Amino acid sequence: MNAEFARLKNDLHTLIEQLEAVDFFKDGEKLLIGCSTSEVMGHHIGRQSSMEVAELIYQSFYQATERHQMHIMFQGCEHINRAVTMERKTAHADGLQPVSVVPHRSAGGSLSEYAFSHFTDPVVVEHAIADRGIDIGQTLIGMHIRHVAVPLRVEQRTINEANVTIAYSRPKLIGGPRAHY
C-alpha cells in the first residue's frame, strides 16, 4: 500500500474512533455517506474516481455500522440526482420506492457503485431520510438528512485531501417561549 493509501486508511480509522468516542453511531439509525473519491485523492470532484478508495471507505464505514447495528446508505452524484444506494430491507422499512438505475463510476460515483455491487440486495431510491450523515469531499448530502440537522465537530476534519462534514439530527423544538425542552 502506498503512502497516500496508508494516510487514507489512518484518517478513516482516526475519524471512526473519534465518532465512536462521542457516541455518534446509534443502534437502528440510518447513516448516509456521501463521498467524492476524486476529492479524497486531491483531484476535482468527478474527475479521478477510484474504486480502490471506494473500497477502503466502504469497508471502514460498513464495519463501523455493523458494530453499532446501523443501516448504511450511500449517496450518488448529481448525474443520478444524488439518489441513495441502500439495502432493500432498509428501503422497504421506510416505504421507499426503488428507481431504475445502477450507479457506476461516471453516473453515481465509485462509492455508490462499490456499495451497489457489495450489498446483499441493493436498491437505489430517489429520496431518503438519514438520521446521521458524513459528507466527504463536499458532495452535498443535506437533502437526505432528517430535520433538524446539527453539525458535529471532531478533530479529524479531512480524509486524505477531502474536507469532511458530519451531521446528526435532533427533533424540532416547537412551542415558543412557554415550551420546556
Side-chain angles (χ1 to χ4, degrees):
M1 184 183 300
N2 68 32
E4 212 163 24
F5 277 85
R7 177 180 168 205
L8 169 59
K9 196 170 188 177
N10 184 64
D11 287 352
L12 287 164
H13 178 76
T14 300
L15 177 61
I16 290 168
E17 273 188 342
Q18 290 175 5
L19 292 173
E20 287 177 329
V22 297
D23 202 26
F24 177 77
F25 300 104
K26 299 287 186 186
D27 208 20
E29 290 192 351
K30 292 179 287 304
L31 173 62
L32 177 70
I33 307 287
C35 176
S36 166
T37 60
S38 300
E39 290 278 336
V40 169
M41 298 311 290
H43 303 288
H44 186 273
I45 194 167
R47 301 288 164 95
Q48 296 281 328
S49 290
S50 168
M51 291 305 286
E52 294 82 11
V53 170
E55 179 180 6
L56 277 173
I57 292 170
Y58 175 91
Q59 293 298 332
S60 296
F61 285 109
Y62 186 84
Q63 290 168 11
T65 56
E66 283 287 299
R67 281 194 305 275
H68 297 280
Q69 300 177 359
M70 293 185 78
H71 305 275
I72 192 166
M73 310 180 296
F74 296 92
Q75 178 183 286
C77 72
E78 66 191 271
H79 298 102
I80 60 169
N81 299 335
R82 304 199 190 289
V84 179
T85 302
M86 64 183 70
E87 289 284 6
R88 184 177 304 276
K89 65 184 177 185
T90 302
H92 181 73
D94 282 354
L96 303 174
Q97 295 297 313
V99 294
S100 295
V101 69
V102 175
H104 62 89
R105 174 180 268 183
S106 298
S110 295
L111 188 55
S112 289
E113 177 182 351
Y114 190 89
F116 193 90
S117 66
H118 286 81
F119 276 153
T120 303
D121 188 13
V123 296
V124 178
V125 303
E126 191 170 9
H127 300 287
I129 300 175
D131 302 293
R132 296 164 184 282
I134 301 172
D135 187 327
I136 304 168
Q138 299 172 320
T139 60
L140 305 176
I141 65 169
M143 66 191 284
H144 297 296
I145 303 295
R146 179 179 311 282
H147 291 250
V148 173
V150 179
L152 176 67
R153 308 265 191 262
V154 293
E155 202 171 303
Q156 184 70 38
R157 294 183 181 228
T158 60
I159 295 296
N160 219 33
E161 298 296 322
N163 292 325
V164 176
T165 304
I166 302 165
Y168 63 93
S169 60
R170 66 154 172 81
K172 294 178 182 179
L173 303 176
I174 62 169
R178 293 185 181 184
H180 292 266
Y181 305 111

